[in-house]
């Protein structure tokens, strides 16, 4: 597995989105470009699309980080061979970079991380985990846990999938939160239509301990939570805090 770093041209992405019939870019404060990037990746890279990925804003423009089975050179060649001109123009392929990720992990290894997550709970309808906690607390006559506590618990459950890892107690922090409106495809009879939906968008950081190396590698490649195809769920690893065990 490779970590991929793709520099994107936001103006070219917006033009691509409009030509494809997407509304990304009409109001940047409301739209996170998630659907536009999802559609662009499919058009440019097909089955080699990095997933999960995270779109970041830098002084130089948009930067897409993601995990993929192929390296940057292979992705660039695929785009040059098969992408349409407007899709090819979105990325500066000459500046794309990649690195190979570790293939093995050690039980008990402590790692720092941050992740842009969509902390929702699936039921009859998908709901923000915090708003669900507020309703449950009101029904039982207790004070709800804080948004940070709810999201930390949600993330802990995600890390523990298949015994992959466990969050180090007291290290998970909610360092950013907003609600975003973006586009998703839904079915209306036989037709597929785009509709605007609102989702929680949380930036979480913390530290974890690897519990099962194989399961952790799978979790890293899969990402955490839902809407991973739209820019959520990529675990970015970093060294743990100095002095941590």
């Amino acid at each position: 597995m490779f970590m991929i770093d793709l520099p994107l041209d936001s103006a070219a992405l917006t033009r691509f989105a409009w030509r494809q019939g997407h509304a990304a870019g009409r109001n940047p404060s409301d739209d996170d470009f998630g659907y536009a990037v999802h559609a662009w990746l499919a058009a440019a890279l097909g089955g080699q699309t990095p997933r999960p990925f995270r779109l970041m804003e830098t002084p130089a423009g948009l930067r897409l980080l993601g995990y993929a089975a192929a390296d940057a050179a292979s992705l660039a060649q695929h785009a040059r061979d098969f992408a349409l001109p407007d899709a090819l123009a979105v990325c500066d392929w000459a500046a794309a970079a990649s690195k190979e990720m570790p293939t093995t992990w050690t039980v008990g290894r402590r790692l720092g991380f941050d992740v842009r997550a969509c902390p929702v709970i699936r039921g009859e309808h998908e709901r923000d985990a915090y708003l669900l906690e507020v309703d449950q607390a009101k029904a039982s006559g207790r004070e709800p846990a804080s948004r940070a506590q709810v999201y930390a618990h949600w993330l802990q459950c995600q890390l523990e999938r298949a015994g992959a890892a466990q969050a180090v107690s007291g290290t998970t922090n909610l360092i950013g939160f907003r609600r975003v409106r973006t586009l998703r495809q839904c079915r209306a009879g036989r037709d597929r239509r785009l509709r605007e939906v609102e989702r929680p968008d949380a930036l979480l950081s913390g530290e974890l301990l690897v519990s099962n190396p194989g399961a952790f590698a799978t979790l890293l490649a899969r990402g955490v939570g839902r809407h991973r195809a739209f820019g959520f769920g990529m675990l970015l690893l970093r060294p743990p805090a100095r002095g941590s065990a």
Side-chain angles (χ1 to χ4, degrees), residues 126-190:
E126 189 177 85
R127 295 201 61 195
D128 182 331
Y130 174 67
L131 298 182
L132 181 61
E133 160 66 11
V134 170
D135 285 349
Q136 291 175 341
K138 183 177 180 180
S140 60
R142 59 175 174 82
E143 286 295 315
S146 69
R147 187 183 294 273
Q149 290 172 323
V150 171
Y151 289 172
H153 176 70
W154 174 89
L155 181 60
Q156 177 182 339
C157 294
Q158 296 296 318
L159 295 175
E160 291 177 353
R161 286 175 63 100
Q166 60 185 60
V168 177
S169 178
T171 66
T172 302
N173 295 299
L174 176 63
I175 58 177
F177 172 78
R178 63 176 181 160
R179 298 193 67 83
V180 293
R181 290 196 292 271
T182 190
L183 296 174
R184 294 295 183 266
Q185 195 174 71
C186 64
R187 290 183 178 179
R190 295 184 178 181

Side-chain angles (χ1 to χ4, degrees), residues 93-153:
W93 297 102
S98 61
K99 73 166 188 178
E100 190 168 7
M101 294 296 291
T103 56
T104 59
W105 301 93
T106 305
V107 174
R109 183 174 180 182
R110 185 163 177 159
L111 298 166
F113 68 87
D114 68 67
V115 58
R116 180 193 177 209
C118 185
V120 293
I121 303 295
R122 294 187 71 181
E124 184 178 350
H125 301 288
E126 189 177 85
R127 295 201 61 195
D128 182 331
Y130 174 67
L131 298 182
L132 181 61
E133 160 66 11
V134 170
D135 285 349
Q136 291 175 341
K138 183 177 180 180
S140 60
R142 59 175 174 82
E143 286 295 315
S146 69
R147 187 183 294 273
Q149 290 172 323
V150 171
Y151 289 172
H153 176 70

